[in-house]
Amino acid sequence: MKKIDEYVRSIDNFPQEGIIFRDVTSVLQDADGLHLAIDLMQNSIQDLDFDVIVGPESRGFIFGVPIAYNLHKPFVPVRKKGKLPCDTIEREYQLEYGTAIIEMHRDAILPGQKVVIVDDLIATGGTTEAIIQLIEEVGGEVVGICFLMELEGLKGREKLKGYRVESVIRYEGN
């Protein structure tokens, strides 16, 4: 079997000149790659004591739900504004060219519940920082954050200081 980073397709000069885009779809499209990604991510949090997995739309769903299923934990979706039907809380966060708003159901996490956040990629860390704020607003405790890939050059980990951050694949650049 190949190593997990061999399943990731790298595309030069996308979306702009000088950027190497790390394409997660090539992992998803290969049964062995997907299986390996889920296993490695799950293994990176196996020693944590937690109650709930939270994942952002959409790739956080792809990786978070199978891990939640395997560990018999509930899964809480974080979505773009206007996509959740019940009472929500929201956070605005910075994008490369503007801002975005994410939401979570207000009653999705109970006070005192221990939470692991799962997503495909950490770049600048802005989305994850906003998710942490949502979780803590309702009284949850973030005990771990797990990514398949990390773009170390964008220094997203710095926004998550004080939290345990795991990434299966680390790329030095951005």
Side-chain angles (χ1 to χ4, degrees):
M1 184 181 274
K2 298 190 293 189
K3 291 192 245 176
I4 188 61
D5 59 332
E6 295 178 71
Y7 290 98
V8 178
R9 179 174 38 201
S10 296
I11 302 164
D12 291 333
N13 302 312
F14 183 84
Q16 62 191 35
E17 190 71 30
I19 300 292
I20 301 173
F21 184 80
R22 309 298 181 174
D23 185 13
V24 73
T25 63
S26 55
V27 176
L28 302 175
Q29 293 168 344
D30 187 290
D32 290 334
L34 178 59
H35 196 268
L36 183 58
I38 298 294
D39 286 350
L40 290 170
M41 292 175 79
Q42 183 173 311
N43 289 345
S44 77
I45 59 168
Q46 69 183 356
D47 63 319
L48 289 175
D49 174 31
F50 66 95
D51 305 301
V52 180
I53 291 180
V54 169
E57 184 174 351
S58 67
R59 292 174 306 269
F61 295 8
I62 292 168
F63 293 105
V65 168
I67 295 170
Y69 176 85
N70 289 342
L71 299 177
H72 199 73
K73 304 285 184 182
F75 179 82
V76 173
V78 172
R79 302 211 55 199
K80 295 172 188 157
K81 185 172 177 65
K83 300 289 185 179
L84 292 171
C86 297
D87 186 27
T88 61
I89 57 173
E90 66 181 47
R91 274 296 176 281
E92 184 176 48
Y93 64 99
Q94 197 67 39
L95 297 170
E96 190 175 356
Y97 302 108
T99 61
I101 297 174
I102 53 171
E103 293 182 320
M104 180 179 77
H105 281 139
R106 185 176 299 280
D107 63 355
I109 295 169
L110 303 174
Q113 282 190 308
K114 295 177 182 174
V115 179
V116 169
I117 300 169
V118 174
D119 202 0
D120 71 320
L121 175 76
I122 178 173
T124 65
T127 305
T128 305
E129 182 181 42
I131 293 168
I132 290 168
Q133 292 170 1
L134 291 173
I135 292 165
E136 291 178 348
E137 180 179 329
V138 296
E141 177 189 356
V142 176
V143 297
I145 307 165
C146 176
F147 302 100
L148 177 62
M149 298 183 286
E150 178 176 355
L151 304 179
E152 293 177 316
L154 295 176
K155 302 184 188 310
R157 196 177 274 260
E158 290 179 10
K159 284 188 180 165
L160 310 179
K161 281 186 178 166
Y163 298 95
R164 176 174 162 175
V165 177
E166 302 289 340
S167 53
V168 174
I169 306 167
R170 292 182 178 181
Y171 295 104
E172 289 182 9
N174 53 3

